[in-house]
Amino acid sequence: AGRIVAAGHSYGANTTLLAAGARVARDGVPDDLADPRIRAAIAISAPPFYGEPSPAAILSGVRLPSLHVTCTDDVIRIPGYWSGVEDRVAVFEAIGGERKVLAVFSGGSHSMFTDRAGAGGPQLNAQVKAATRELTTAFLRGVRDGDDAAALRAWPRRHAAIVARFVGPA
C-alpha cells in the first residue's frame, strides 16, 4: 500500500493528476480529489484541463514525483478542439513538485502510447514504447528507493536518436 502510483493517458492523465493533487474549482470552490495513498504520478500525453485558463492554478498543488511523457507530434484534433505538444509541456511546467521528469519523443502521435501498434509509424512506435517502459521503470525505482538521478540521467543518452527533449535530474 505504500507504493501506489497513479498513471494515465490523455484525459486519464488528467484524472491521475487530480488524484495526485491537482485542483479544479467549480463555482469558486476547489474540488479536492487527491488520494493520500498515491506516492507518484505518471502522465502520458496529458492535455490541459479543458476550459481552464491557468494550468499553474490547477497543477501547483501536485507535489508528488511525476513523470510526463509525450512526443513532438502529440496533437489532439477533435471537432472544436485542438491541442498540441506545447500544451503537454505546459502541464509539466505547471506542476508544483520539484521531482518531475519530462520526456518528449521525436515524431509520434497522441495515440502512439495506446495499444495501437502503428500509431506514429510501426518502427518508431515500437522504439518509443520500449524506451517508455525503460524510463518508467527507472522513475518507479527512483520513487521506491528515493534516488532516481543515476538511472534517469543515463536514459536520454541511450535513446538520443528518438528523444527530442528531456528534463530530469541534473
Side-chain angles (χ1 to χ4, degrees), residues 10 13-25 30-31 41 43 46-50 52-66 68 86-98 100:
S10 194
N14 289 150
T15 302
T16 293
L17 293 171
L18 287 166
R23 295 179 68 156
V24 177
D31 285 333
F49 285 80
Y50 185 74
E52 298 296 327
S54 172
I58 296 165
L59 296 164
S60 62
V62 177
R63 301 283 180 192
L64 303 173
S66 61
H68 304 258
E86 62 278 356
D87 289 337
R88 283 8 108 234
V89 173
V91 166
F92 165 76
E93 290 171 347
I95 294 292
E98 293 180 18
K100 57 185 182 179

Side-chain angles (χ1 to χ4, degrees), residues 66-68 92 98-103 135 139 148-156 165-170:
S66 61
L67 171 61
H68 304 258
F92 165 76
E98 293 180 18
R99 287 184 63 193
K100 57 185 182 179
V101 176
L102 170 68
L135 176 61
F139 173 76
D148 56 1
L152 290 175
R153 273 196 309 269
W155 181 85
R165 181 176 176 197
F166 181 78
V167 179

Side-chain angles (χ1 to χ4, degrees), residues 5-168:
V5 175
H9 172 261
S10 194
Y11 285 118
N14 289 150
T15 302
T16 293
L17 293 171
L18 287 166
R23 295 179 68 156
V24 177
R26 293 293 176 250
D27 299 321
V29 178
D31 285 333
D32 185 359
L33 303 172
D35 187 328
R37 297 170 298 174
I38 296 174
R39 299 293 178 244
I42 300 172
I44 301 173
S45 298
F49 285 80
Y50 185 74
E52 298 296 327
S54 172
I58 296 165
L59 296 164
S60 62
V62 177
R63 301 283 180 192
L64 303 173
S66 61
L67 171 61
H68 304 258
V69 181
T70 187
C71 56
T72 57
D73 293 336
D74 188 344
V75 175
I76 300 170
R77 287 183 188 98
I78 55 176
Y81 183 74
W82 185 93
S83 175
V85 66
E86 62 278 356
D87 289 337
R88 283 8 108 234
V89 173
V91 166
F92 165 76
E93 290 171 347
I95 294 292
E98 293 180 18
R99 287 184 63 193
K100 57 185 182 179
V101 176
L102 170 68
V104 181
F105 291 100
S106 299
S109 74
H110 186 71
S111 296
M112 80 180 313
F113 300 103
T114 68
D115 60 354
R116 297 176 186 149
Q123 181 178 2
L124 180 62
N125 185 293
Q127 291 172 331
V128 167
K129 285 180 176 166
T132 301
R133 281 190 298 273
E134 183 182 321
L135 176 61
T136 301
T137 300
F139 173 76
L140 292 173
R141 284 187 177 142
V143 169
R144 180 192 68 198
D145 301 338
D147 179 17
D148 56 1
L152 290 175
R153 273 196 309 269
W155 181 85
R157 288 189 302 273
R158 280 193 300 284
H159 301 284
I162 59 171
V163 175
R165 181 176 176 197
F166 181 78
V167 179

